[in-house]
Amino acid sequence: MTTPKEFNTPKADIADDTAAPAVVDAPHPVILGPVMRKKELIDTVVERSGVKKRDAKPVVEAMLSVLGEALSDSRELNLLPFGKLKVINEKELKNGKMIRVKVRQLTPGQGDGPAQDADGDLTDV
């Protein structure tokens, strides 16, 4: 009886080092809070500023109008401490325009010095 020949097949190189686990920074789910309407915004501005409602209401409405026009023109807004707003894309609809905006806010404690964006460039305050 004959014995079968053994074939020398190269074995795959197996690394001695095992991959170390890495922490992946994934987006966190956002739980939406209640919607803030213009009336609540005006009331809050009156409460915090101490001005009369009849004086604050036209200012808040004018500010909202200016912000809406700027976003409609695809302008980037840098409004600290609110944040930096950048238009991502827009879509024409039957009854208006849908604009997707990315908002970047500073974490507390970073507002002490000049603000920097993601590229490290200084931004206007």
Side-chain angles (χ1 to χ4, degrees):
M1 183 166 168
T2 61
T3 59
K5 293 183 180 178
E6 292 186 29
F7 295 103
N8 288 334
T9 57
K11 293 184 178 181
D13 291 333
I14 299 174
D16 292 336
D17 299 330
T18 57
V23 176
V24 178
D25 189 20
H28 303 289
V30 175
I31 300 172
L32 296 177
V35 175
M36 177 180 269
R37 306 236 183 250
K38 184 166 55 169
K39 181 183 182 317
E40 182 184 356
L41 176 65
I42 292 171
D43 291 342
T44 306
V45 168
V46 167
E47 181 182 311
R48 288 192 187 178
S49 67
V51 298
K52 295 182 180 180
K53 187 172 183 175
R54 68 170 189 245
D55 296 333
K57 186 175 179 179
V59 173
V60 170
E61 288 178 344
M63 182 196 66
L64 291 173
S65 177
V66 169
L67 293 175
E69 291 169 7
L71 289 174
S72 182
D73 293 339
S74 299
R75 294 186 61 186
E76 186 174 301
L77 305 174
N78 191 3
L79 307 171
L80 298 177
F82 181 71
K84 190 173 187 177
L85 289 83
K86 187 175 186 177
V87 175
I88 302 301
N89 60 20
E90 54 187 43
K91 179 181 178 181
E92 293 292 332
L93 301 174
K94 291 182 214 176
N95 58 352
K97 187 190 295 190
M98 180 180 66
I99 302 173
R100 282 189 42 208
V101 179
K102 179 172 82 172
V103 179
R104 172 170 282 167
Q105 293 183 323
L106 292 176
T107 55
Q110 287 185 339
D112 299 335
Q116 290 187 351
D117 62 6
D119 299 329
D121 296 331
L122 291 178
T123 57
D124 297 335
V125 178

